[in-house]
């Protein structure tokens, strides 16, 4: 697993098993991103970088990705105004 992965969050038994299995894949050369806590709307990959894709209404929720354990290289924010809102 990427070293930034959720080391400070409480994990369920399932999450712990997942982390252990992903660690095996990491040792085989994979880059793994567990989806245990932060769930972006999509994951985009380009030029070897992994991006969280977030579609938000009106403004981004930056707090979702402030943890040092955030496994993404960057976040792509797509901000849409609520229907009926002008501007």
């Amino acid at each position: 697993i990427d070293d930034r992965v959720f080391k400070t969050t409480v994990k369920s038994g399932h999450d712990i098993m997942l982390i252990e299995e992903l660690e095996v894949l990491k040792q085989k050369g994979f880059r793994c991103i567990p989806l245990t806590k932060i769930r972006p709307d999509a994951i985009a990959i380009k030029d070897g970088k992994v991006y969280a894709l977030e579609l938000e209404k009106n403004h981004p929720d930056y707090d979702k990705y402030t943890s040092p354990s955030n496994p993404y290289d960057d976040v792509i924010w797509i901000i849409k105004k609520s229907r009926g809102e002008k501007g």
Side-chain angles (χ1 to χ4, degrees):
I1 304 178
D2 190 296
D3 292 334
R4 297 170 284 179
V5 148
F6 314 117
K7 294 181 184 209
T8 59
T9 59
V10 176
K11 298 171 191 71
S12 69
H14 175 271
D15 291 349
I16 291 170
M17 288 189 299
L18 176 63
I19 299 285
E20 290 169 353
E21 292 302 319
L22 294 180
E23 191 61 40
V24 171
L25 288 173
K26 181 182 176 186
Q27 292 172 5
K28 294 179 180 181
F30 287 88
R31 178 174 176 196
C32 300
I33 298 175
L35 300 177
T36 58
K37 184 72 174 165
I38 296 175
R39 299 211 182 214
D41 294 317
I43 296 173
I45 302 169
K46 182 177 181 182
D47 298 329
K49 293 193 176 188
V50 179
Y51 300 86
L53 179 74
E54 285 286 350
L55 177 63
E56 300 284 347
K57 291 182 181 177
N58 300 320
H59 58 82
D61 182 3
Y62 294 120
D63 291 339
K64 289 182 182 180
Y65 296 93
T66 57
S67 171
S69 63
N70 170 23
Y72 305 102
D73 293 306
D74 205 349
V75 180
I76 298 171
W77 296 96
I78 299 173
I79 311 303
K80 298 288 185 176
K81 293 188 183 282
S82 293
R83 292 179 185 221
E85 201 172 300
K86 293 183 180 183

